Amino acid sequence: MRRYPLYIFDLDGTLYRGDEAIPHAADTVRRLVEEGSAVRYFTNNSGQTREFFARKLQTMGFPCEPGMVYSTATGVAALCRERGVDRVFCVGEPGLVQTLREAAVEVVNADAKGRVWPCGEASAVVVGICRSFTYALLDAALQCLLKGASYWATNTDATYPLEGGRLEPGAGSLVAAVSTCAGRGPDLVVGKPSPWIVRQILEETGVAPQDALLVGDRPETDLACGRTLGCPTCLVLTGVTRQAPPDQAFCEDLRGLLDPTLR
Ligand SMILES: [Mg+2]
């Protein structure tokens, strides 16, 4: 496979499973960086900060600084900046609240620890994974939307895979609850398969789409999010996908990225 100026890696199922690095992943990414490629990490997870993911990746041996990590929380922060929104109502976790606050966005319904409460008015409602979700929070989000707030979702993943094959309800199940009572879907979904964050990465790195390889374990999200922009893609079979769709470039594990005989 040819070397690309930029690699954009999915996290879960591509670089690690739960708290375990996938064999050969860290060595491969280190080698790509040593040989001059840029690397960015992109997860649909909105529940943690950039610093959290950077520490986790560093511990596993990946070359990573917080600025190399893109999550749907950093995506929402960038969206607020782009749209000039500085007050949001948040259905989310403390990591999302903290990321927004660090971007000078006021979260009208969160306390000092980042926990969200059913109160407040804002110009946008942000819905992501929220393990403290309640009927009262849903009701308060609905009232904001009925008053004309914009409606943004971090992602619409139905479930979230954990170790041992366990599935947890994903952000998409909470987005569905909000959409049902509001009678409309989100104005914008920030995470994969939306191209929004990949476009942001390309702009910030100054790399052309055809020079940025997207690497992930889910074709319909990890790879689709850049395909419409013209990015080449590579499926890796270490996560949820066991067989590559026809015409999809793939490798069994990340060592394939270093293999000159693969196309
Ligand atoms: Mg994945």
Side-chain angles (χ1 to χ4, degrees):
M1 194 168 284
R2 84 162 170 102
R3 291 301 162 87
Y4 289 86
L6 172 64
Y7 291 80
I8 301 174
F9 288 102
D10 168 54
L11 300 186
D12 256 302
T14 300
L15 303 184
Y16 55 66
R17 278 185 225 103
D19 286 326
E20 268 176 34
I22 290 172
H24 314 297
D27 287 347
T28 299
V29 178
R30 252 198 328 269
R31 174 100 172 263
L32 293 170
V33 169
E34 280 163 12
E35 294 182 5
S37 293
V39 163
R40 295 293 181 271
Y41 304 98
F42 174 17
T43 173
N44 257 6
N45 194 321
S46 69
Q48 302 288 354
T49 61
R50 280 183 142 167
E51 287 73 19
F52 170 89
F53 288 112
R55 265 197 310 275
K56 177 169 178 170
L57 287 162
Q58 284 164 3
T59 303
M60 293 176 178
F62 292 95
C64 186
E65 297 299 327
M68 295 160 73
V69 179
Y70 289 74
S71 69
T72 49
T74 67
V76 170
L79 183 62
C80 287
R81 200 159 50 236
E82 191 188 279
R83 305 282 163 97
V85 166
D86 56 7
R87 277 170 62 85
V88 302
F89 181 97
C90 202
V91 176
E93 301 266 312
L96 174 60
V97 172
Q98 189 182 329
T99 302
L100 291 171
R101 283 179 173 161
E102 284 170 6
V105 177
E106 182 188 352
V107 181
V108 296
N109 63 318
D111 67 13
K113 289 188 170 162
R115 294 174 299 202
V116 291
W117 303 101
C119 63
E121 287 181 29
S123 47
V125 172
V126 177
V127 183
I129 186 75
C130 180
R131 291 171 181 84
S132 58
F133 189 71
T134 59
Y135 184 87
L137 190 64
L138 175 64
D139 176 48
L142 172 63
Q143 302 315 316
C144 285
L145 293 173
L146 291 176
K147 285 179 190 149
S150 301
Y151 174 17
W152 300 336
T154 60
N155 65 88
T156 53
D157 298 341
T159 55
Y160 181 72
L162 297 176
E163 291 99 324
R166 181 176 143 74
L167 292 178
E168 266 185 358
S173 53
L174 307 182
V175 173
V178 174
S179 299
T180 300
C181 59
R184 67 182 178 106
D187 300 312
L188 196 135
V189 179
V190 172
K192 315 170 196 185
S194 156
W196 207 86
I197 291 175
V198 174
R199 195 180 303 123
Q200 185 196 359
I201 295 173
L202 295 175
E203 276 172 19
E204 290 186 7
T205 54
V207 172
Q210 65 271 17
D211 290 331
L213 184 72
L214 289 185
V215 185
D217 68 316
R218 281 185 198 261
E220 67 282 10
T221 52
D222 295 332
L223 307 184
C225 68
R227 206 176 277 129
T228 50
L229 302 174
C231 296
T233 62
C234 181
L235 177 70
V236 63
L237 301 181
T238 50
V240 295
T241 308
R242 295 284 163 228
Q243 203 178 358
D247 300 327
Q248 171 65 58
F250 73 98
C251 48
E252 295 291 333
D253 63 54
L254 283 194
R255 284 177 299 183
L257 298 181
L258 304 171
D259 182 346
T261 64
L262 278 183
R263 59 166 280 279

